[in-house]
């Protein structure tokens, strides 16, 4: 069975070209993107948070699955790479861009919880975990990727991943499943 997504966001080709031009190498893996689109589609009128916009490939996947009543907040520290996403996706009224450290954003946020949180950067995954999990609505989904070794990650990455998996799987308020697929995923659904 071929698990490559057959429906791609219309902006994906342009975003990939821009990623190559800027030297950005950590874009959302295509199979992960397909899962993001499906999870977003499962939440009509959903509130979605993406931590780590990058050049916007994950953002494009999320938007491709969202309905017109859904909203997406995407947070990125690097204004240069997020500028690519803003140029390609900024005219979509469903997306709000925040350019700041994800940890600072999580600490400052005081709004409603989210139905889907995709943590694709260190804050919300390896730091600020308790805070981001507080922001997942009951029945909501928390998804993380890049759990397999990645080029350029520090040697401490593997230790951080093991610690993170142990912590998530030990929580009684989330039901987690590991997926040895794409870049290594974990999906957790808030049960309590």
């Amino acid at each position: 069975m071929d698990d490559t997504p057959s429906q791609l966001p219309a902006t994906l080709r342009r975003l990939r070209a821009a990623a190559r031009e800027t030297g950005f190498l950590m874009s959302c893996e295509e199979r992960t993107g397909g899962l993001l689109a499906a999870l977003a589609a499962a939440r009509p009128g959903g509130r979605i948070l993406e931590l780590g916009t990058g050049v916007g490939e994950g953002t494009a996947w999320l938007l491709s699955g969202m309905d017109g009543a859904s909203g997406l907040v995407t947070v990125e520290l690097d204004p240069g790479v997020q500028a690519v996403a803003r140029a390609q996706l900024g005219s979509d009224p469903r997306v709000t861009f925040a350019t700041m450290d994800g940890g600072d954003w999580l600490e400052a946020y005081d709004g409603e919880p989210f139905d889907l949180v995709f943590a694709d950067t260190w804050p919300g995954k390896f730091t600020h975990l308790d805070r981001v999990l507080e922001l997942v609505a009951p029945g909501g989904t928390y998804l993380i990727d890049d759990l397999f070794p990645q080029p350029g990650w520090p040697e401490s990455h593997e230790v951080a991943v093991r610690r993170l998996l142990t912590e998530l799987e030990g929580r009684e308020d989330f039901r987690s499943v590991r997926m040895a697929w794409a870049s290594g995923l974990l999906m957790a659904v808030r049960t309590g």
Side-chain angles (χ1 to χ4, degrees):
M1 176 176 75
D2 182 2
D3 62 356
T4 305
S6 59
Q7 295 177 309
L8 304 177
T11 55
L12 196 58
R13 182 174 291 154
R14 291 188 305 271
L15 289 167
R16 286 179 175 167
R20 284 190 301 275
E21 288 173 18
T22 62
F24 187 79
L25 305 175
M26 294 302 297
S27 288
C28 180
E29 200 270 341
E30 199 167 88
R31 291 173 295 168
T32 302
L35 178 61
L36 288 172
L39 290 171
R43 296 294 186 165
R47 296 178 40 76
I48 301 171
L49 172 63
E50 177 186 37
L51 296 167
T53 312
V55 297
E57 288 189 40
T59 311
W61 283 104
L62 288 163
L63 288 168
S64 75
M66 291 166 50
D67 69 3
S70 295
L72 168 64
V73 175
T74 184
V75 183
E76 173 61 48
L77 175 64
D78 185 335
V81 296
Q82 193 185 60
V84 173
R86 285 177 183 265
Q88 294 295 324
L89 307 168
S91 64
D92 191 319
R94 300 172 299 166
V95 64
T96 301
F97 292 93
T99 308
M100 63 187 301
D101 177 79
D104 292 344
W105 188 92
L106 287 167
E107 290 171 6
Y109 180 75
D110 65 352
E112 295 295 315
F114 294 91
D115 300 302
L116 172 59
V117 174
F118 176 45
D120 193 20
T121 188
W122 287 70
K125 190 185 316 185
F126 299 116
T127 68
H128 301 83
L129 181 63
D130 287 336
R131 176 62 181 141
V132 77
L133 294 177
E134 289 173 6
L135 297 179
V136 177
T141 301
Y142 169 77
L143 181 71
I144 53 176
D145 67 347
D146 299 334
L147 298 177
F148 292 153
Q150 302 295 312
W153 281 134
E155 289 183 24
S156 61
H157 179 71
E158 188 175 338
V159 172
V161 167
R162 281 197 309 266
R163 183 173 47 246
L164 173 65
L165 295 176
T166 298
E167 186 168 344
L168 283 168
E169 291 170 346
R171 293 187 67 107
E172 294 184 10
D173 55 341
F174 281 84
R175 180 68 184 238
S176 298
V177 60
R178 293 184 196 190
M179 294 177 268
W181 179 73
S183 64
L185 307 173
L186 180 135
M187 184 169 65
V189 175
R190 186 179 195 103
T191 57

